[in-house]
């Protein structure tokens, strides 16, 4: 049997289509989400409805965002889900989640088995709407979940860890083998829960500076920060901040990165790149 065909639909690689087929895993994910009737749930990439059906079962209304026109059309005519669904046939990367929350009159609970090819940029897009989001549950590549939860002094700690933990509390939920999908992806997967902080623990004055510092530091992660961030900070400035210039990107905490961004916001870079 062609393992790219699931429920009569030919899985499209370019849309990252790997459909969940394992009832136990599906049930575990729905339990982790724990959808409640009066909440505003939003699914990214409902596909053939593996999560949409059991979540929709517990709700009166559910918003879904699906890029694939055929799959969106299929959902529209779904026998019992159809009337409950508000379907946006569009790229989730272009979705205005703040407008959606306003429309729903409450913050959103976003979930999805994400297309792996766009999962990182999509999470960055969602991070810019954390004020409008109550929580997020995503199926991702296991390696990406490892990076999201990683702390300093580990190999997995990187720009994604810093940015995700700046905005959210990150909680790994469960690991999922390739056999739980049709067709099976080449990598292991995992589900993660991201809960936006009610109050940012380390607010920065200018997010672009935090992004700039973490990019510069982690793009040259083997170098000491005295070298990788030499264009932005003098050794004296780092010492003044209590940060050892001989450390590498992976040794610096989220709090310290935020402190560095705020220092830059207040003191123009010593040597502009
Ligand atoms: N939720 C289904 C499941 O668990 O079986 C499908 C998951 S599949 C990994 C990813 C889904 O996201 C597909 O239905 C795909 O068409 C959709 N998709 C891909 N790119 C998208 C995008 N940019 N915006 C919204 N949906 C997208």
């Amino acid at each position: 049997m062609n393992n790219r065909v699931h429920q009569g639909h030919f899985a499209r690689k370019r849309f990252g289509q790997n459909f969940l087929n394992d009832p136990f895993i599906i049930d575990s994910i729905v339990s982790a989400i724990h959808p409640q009737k009066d909440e505003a749930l939003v699914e990214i990439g409902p596909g053939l409805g593996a999560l949409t059906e059991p979540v929709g079962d517990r709700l009166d209304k559910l918003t879904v965002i699906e890029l694939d026109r055929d799959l969106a059309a299929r959902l529209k005519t779904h026998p019992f889900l159809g009337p409950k669904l508000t379907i946006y046939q569009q790229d989730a990367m272009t979705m205005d989640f703040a407008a959606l929350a306003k429309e729903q009159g409450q913050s959103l609970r976003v979930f999805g088995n994400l297309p792996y090819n766009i999962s990182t940029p999509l999470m960055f897009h969602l991070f810019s709407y954390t004020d409008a989001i109550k929580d997020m549950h995503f199926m991702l590549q296991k390696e990406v979940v490892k990076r999201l939860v990683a702390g300093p002094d580990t190999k997995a700690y990187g720009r994604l860890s810093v940015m995700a933990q700046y905005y959210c509390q990150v909680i790994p939920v469960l690991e999922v083998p390739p056999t739980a999908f049709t067709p099976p992806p080449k990598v292991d997967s995992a589900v993660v829960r991201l809960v936006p902080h009610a109050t940012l623990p380390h607010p920065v004055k200018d997010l672009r500076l935090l992004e700039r510092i973490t990019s510069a530091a982690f793009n040259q992660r083997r170098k000491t920060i005295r070298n990788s961030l030499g264009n932005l900070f003098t050794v004296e400035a780092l010492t003044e901040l209590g940060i050892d210039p001989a450390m590498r990107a992976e040794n610096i905490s989220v709090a310290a990165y935020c402190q560095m961004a705020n220092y830059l916001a207040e003191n123009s870079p010593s040597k502009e790149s």
Side-chain angles (χ1 to χ4, degrees), residues 15-20 43 45-47 50 66-67 71 91-92 113 115 118:
F15 290 155
Q17 291 179 351
N18 299 95
F19 300 105
L20 274 167
E43 181 176 8
E66 173 57 63
L67 181 59
L71 292 178
D91 182 349
N113 168 13
I118 61 152

Side-chain angles (χ1 to χ4, degrees), residues 37 60 97 107 147 151 154 157 184 203 264 272:
K37 258 202 168 42
D60 297 327
F97 290 92
S107 50
R147 280 163 46 208
T154 62
Y157 186 62
L264 267 198
E272 207 28 90

Side-chain angles (χ1 to χ4, degrees), residues 55 61 85 92 110 117 159 208 211-212 236 265 270:
V55 171
K61 59 183 175 55
L85 297 181
V110 185
N117 48 343
R159 182 170 162 257
R208 286 166 308 180
E211 278 162 9
R212 186 167 168 199
E236 292 73 33
S270 49

Side-chain angles (χ1 to χ4, degrees), residues 144-271:
V144 176
V145 172
K146 274 193 185 158
R147 280 163 46 208
L148 286 168
V149 301
D153 305 324
T154 62
K155 257 198 178 148
Y157 186 62
R159 182 170 162 257
L160 185 61
S161 329
V162 175
M163 297 314 292
Q165 293 165 31
Y166 173 78
Y167 289 108
C168 301
Q169 191 192 355
V170 187
I171 305 142
V173 174
L174 101 141
E175 294 192 1
V176 183
T179 48
F181 304 85
T182 306
K186 291 198 171 67
V187 291
D188 285 329
S189 302
V191 177
V192 70
R193 175 183 297 136
L194 299 154
V195 185
H197 298 297
T199 310
L200 289 173
H202 315 290
V204 297
K205 296 189 169 75
D206 184 346
L207 264 170
R208 286 166 308 180
L209 291 174
L210 181 62
E211 278 162 9
R212 186 167 168 199
I213 295 167
T214 51
S215 295
F218 285 107
N219 281 347
Q220 302 184 72
R221 59 186 297 146
R222 292 165 149 271
K223 288 192 179 175
T224 62
I225 53 161
R226 170 208 299 261
N227 290 319
S228 60
L229 299 180
N231 280 336
L232 300 170
F233 296 93
T234 61
V235 168
E236 292 73 33
L238 291 171
T239 314
E240 193 186 314
L241 286 167
I243 296 166
D244 179 356
M247 291 201 294
R248 296 174 207 281
E250 69 188 41
N251 309 125
I252 299 171
S253 67
V254 176
Y257 274 116
C258 295
Q259 205 188 342
M260 289 161 85
N262 285 337
Y263 178 90
L264 267 198
E266 279 158 18
N267 305 271
S268 56
S270 49
K271 286 178 262 167

